Amino acid sequence: MKVLVVEDQRRLGQFLKKGLSEQSYTTTWVQTCAEARDALCETHYDGIILDLGLPDGDGLELLREWRKSGFNEPVLILSARDTVQDRVKGLDIGADDYLPKPFSLEELLARIRSLLRRKASSKEPVLEHRGVRLDLLTRSVTQNGVPVELTTREFALLEVFMNNPGRVLPRTLICEKIWESHYDVDTNLLDVYMSKLRAKLEGDAGKPLFKTVRGVGYQFL
Ligand code: CA
């Protein structure tokens, strides 16, 4: 899952990016309204953490624009403005949750899980294919009942395949889903991650799970 963090305070932004990445969310961090607009035009996010006081504008304006344009994924406001009126305003404009600063990372992560769970309850929270089971809520993977340890990027990569079993996925589409910005990505890096994922899931004796489709991309068989 991809999360966008809009936060102009450098240390806090870095802290959030690190904390979320450790929970296997593919996290993009931007510091201004302009960057946030660009990020959302460029790629789809499953959730947004939004600061309000930004150097080039107000986060509430961003939220208003996004909701107007039909963006309906969860948005959590993270702000030092913490009067009841501030919260009501944020929620009325379309935020799903409002967490005042200072906050504990633990609570933020719990709220993010809760927002994504609500969203996922309409979708299937557990994906299964060929004995591989990926749980979007606990961010865990098992294969034939045995836990498989995956890194954040490997998890994101597997999630893309699990959502599209049997489909040949173009390299650019995969990169767009698992990297913060697909413009920066050397797609050769995808091959590196594919071989790591294969090494963990295909083992020595088993049948291949993935197929390389030359000139196009990969397929989860
Ligand atoms: Ca701020």
Side-chain angles (χ1 to χ4, degrees):
M1 288 198 192
K2 290 184 96 162
V3 176
L4 177 67
V5 175
V6 188
E7 169 59 65
D8 62 320
Q9 264 180 280
R10 222 185 151 68
R11 283 180 64 181
L12 181 54
Q14 283 166 342
F15 174 71
L16 287 170
K17 182 171 165 73
K18 184 165 175 284
L20 289 160
S21 300
E22 282 170 2
Q23 301 296 311
S24 299
Y25 298 111
T26 302
T27 313
T28 304
W29 164 46
V30 296
Q31 294 176 272
T32 62
C33 293
E35 287 172 339
R37 285 191 187 98
D38 287 349
L40 219 70
C41 287
E42 187 185 309
T43 185
H44 178 81
Y45 289 93
D46 300 293
I48 298 180
I49 297 175
L50 181 65
D51 178 30
L52 297 185
L54 295 165
D56 57 343
D58 192 320
L60 288 177
E61 278 312 308
L62 276 180
L63 179 60
R64 210 189 299 269
E65 282 171 26
W66 290 336
R67 291 306 188 212
K68 235 174 122 179
S69 70
F71 177 80
N72 58 8
E73 304 296 0
V75 174
L76 181 147
I77 291 178
L78 194 59
S79 176
R81 301 178 202 162
D82 68 342
T83 66
V84 172
Q85 290 93 318
D86 288 325
R87 294 189 196 207
V88 169
K89 197 169 166 196
L91 296 169
D92 277 348
I93 288 178
D96 297 274
D97 200 356
Y98 199 110
L99 187 60
K101 291 176 183 171
F103 62 95
S104 81
L105 182 62
E106 210 179 334
E107 181 177 1
L108 175 75
L109 293 173
R111 291 194 185 207
I112 293 286
R113 277 197 300 276
S114 154
L115 287 178
L116 295 175
R117 188 180 305 130
R118 256 183 262 160
K119 184 191 142 181
S121 62
S122 53
K123 282 206 250 160
E124 201 54 61
V126 175
L127 304 169
E128 261 184 300
H129 186 64
R130 302 239 356 232
V132 180
R133 193 170 185 279
L134 182 145
D135 189 323
L136 290 167
L137 299 180
T138 59
R139 319 294 297 161
S140 59
V141 175
T142 58
Q143 184 174 32
N144 303 319
V146 181
V148 181
E149 290 293 329
L150 297 183
T151 64
T152 298
R153 202 75 78 188
E154 291 161 2
F155 185 95
L157 182 56
L158 180 62
E159 187 183 337
V160 177
F161 284 113
M162 300 288 286
N163 275 313
N164 299 279
R167 199 177 141 200
V168 177
L169 298 176
R171 304 168 67 87
T172 48
L173 184 143
I174 302 172
C175 289
E176 190 186 307
K177 293 211 181 279
I178 65 170
W179 270 285
E180 289 77 11
S181 168
H182 58 284
Y183 295 129
D184 301 340
V185 174
D186 171 2
T187 56
N188 290 328
L189 207 53
L190 178 60
D191 300 321
V192 176
Y193 281 99
M194 275 311 297
S195 49
K196 288 185 186 180
L197 190 63
R198 281 179 145 159
K200 289 187 182 178
L201 292 175
E202 290 183 335
D204 308 271
K207 282 187 189 164
L209 292 175
F210 301 95
K211 185 178 157 192
T212 308
V213 183
R214 214 167 284 280
V216 184
Y218 291 96
Q219 181 182 17
F220 191 3
L221 298 169

